[in-house]
Amino acid sequence: MPALRVGLTGGIGSGKSTVAAMLAECGAAIIDADAISRRTTAPGGAAIPLISRHFGAELVTDQGALDRDRMRELVFSDPDAKRRLEAIIHPLVGAETVRQAAQAEEAGYRCIVFDVPLLVESGRWRQQVAQVLVVDCSEEAQISRVMARNGWTREQVRQVMAGQASRSQRLAAADVCLANDGAVSLAALARLVRQVAQRFGL
């Protein structure tokens, strides 16, 4: 029987990565689209020559990686730059995701979880998964977590959130929703994840 394919998403600071790790402990194969994306823009990554060609060598660091700070500034000031960057990275991430999913199927995993931050925004993921699991929390919880974790200002967090789907859009796309607000302890979250994992056949 083919593995159940689940899309996992949530806004920045929602606790999505924590939930992914808990699902892995329950026996799911996790395919982290963000980690794959980061590898394409790391030193020697497949996206680096294309970024240099399309954006200029100044967007690549001396170590041969994407200059994230410069690119972030460019994307905020030029909306078309984001589209052009995604046109380079998304096909590379897509191909690696397909490869990892095939590996997981061969290894006999019963559930493959695709951890995709922009699952709702991309539009193309919904057709590739049987269920969408959304990790939900209030916007205030998102902001305070990211400020504490990344050392960003409130404005910087809000800028990132503005580029993501709204909370209501994510909830509208959810087949399953996990509430992870400030009042939810890690132990309580783990219990919720185990209940969801059972639903996914784990």
Side-chain angles (χ1 to χ4, degrees):
M1 199 169 77
L4 175 69
R5 294 181 173 223
V6 176
L8 169 65
T9 196
I12 187 170
S14 62
K16 182 179 57 60
S17 299
T18 302
V19 169
M22 290 174 174
L23 285 167
E25 285 173 17
C26 293
I30 308 294
I31 298 178
D32 186 339
D34 221 18
I36 295 169
S37 176
R38 282 196 300 273
R39 280 200 296 277
T40 71
T41 58
I48 296 301
L50 295 164
I51 288 168
S52 181
R53 189 183 315 148
H54 289 278
F55 290 96
E58 65 274 12
L59 266 297
V60 178
T61 67
D62 293 342
Q63 290 74 39
L66 171 67
D67 189 324
R68 292 184 173 277
D69 292 338
R70 278 190 147 174
M71 183 57 82
R72 196 177 292 120
E73 285 171 20
L74 179 61
V75 163
F76 281 137
S77 63
D78 175 8
D80 190 54
K82 182 181 180 193
R83 186 193 58 75
R84 287 187 291 135
L85 180 65
E86 287 173 349
I88 292 170
I89 292 174
H90 285 181
L92 296 170
V93 174
E96 178 59 16
T97 298
V98 167
R99 191 188 70 76
Q100 288 190 20
Q103 252 185 349
E105 287 270 12
E106 282 171 29
Y109 281 94
R110 291 161 66 185
C111 177
I112 302 172
V113 174
F114 298 87
D115 179 348
V116 185
L118 302 181
L119 183 144
V120 174
E121 296 84 337
S122 76
R124 65 194 175 86
W125 272 100
R126 178 66 260 202
Q127 299 80 39
Q128 297 179 46
V129 295
Q131 303 236 344
V132 172
L133 169 59
V134 170
V135 184
D136 178 54
C137 69
S138 69
E139 291 189 355
E140 196 47 50
Q142 286 182 264
I143 292 166
S144 58
R145 282 174 187 160
V146 178
M147 284 173 68
R149 181 185 73 194
N150 295 16
W152 291 3
T153 64
R154 177 173 286 267
E155 184 52 38
Q156 283 174 310
V157 184
R158 283 210 167 276
Q159 278 185 323
V160 172
M161 288 170 65
Q164 296 186 337
S166 68
R167 186 180 182 188
S168 58
Q169 285 172 319
R170 276 192 298 271
L171 290 174
D175 295 303
V176 186
C177 182
L178 271 176
N180 185 31
D181 259 318
V184 178
S185 69
L186 266 181
L189 182 64
R191 280 195 297 276
L192 290 172
V193 171
R194 283 196 294 274
Q195 288 170 9
V196 169
Q198 286 179 334
R199 186 169 163 173
F200 295 158
L202 294 168

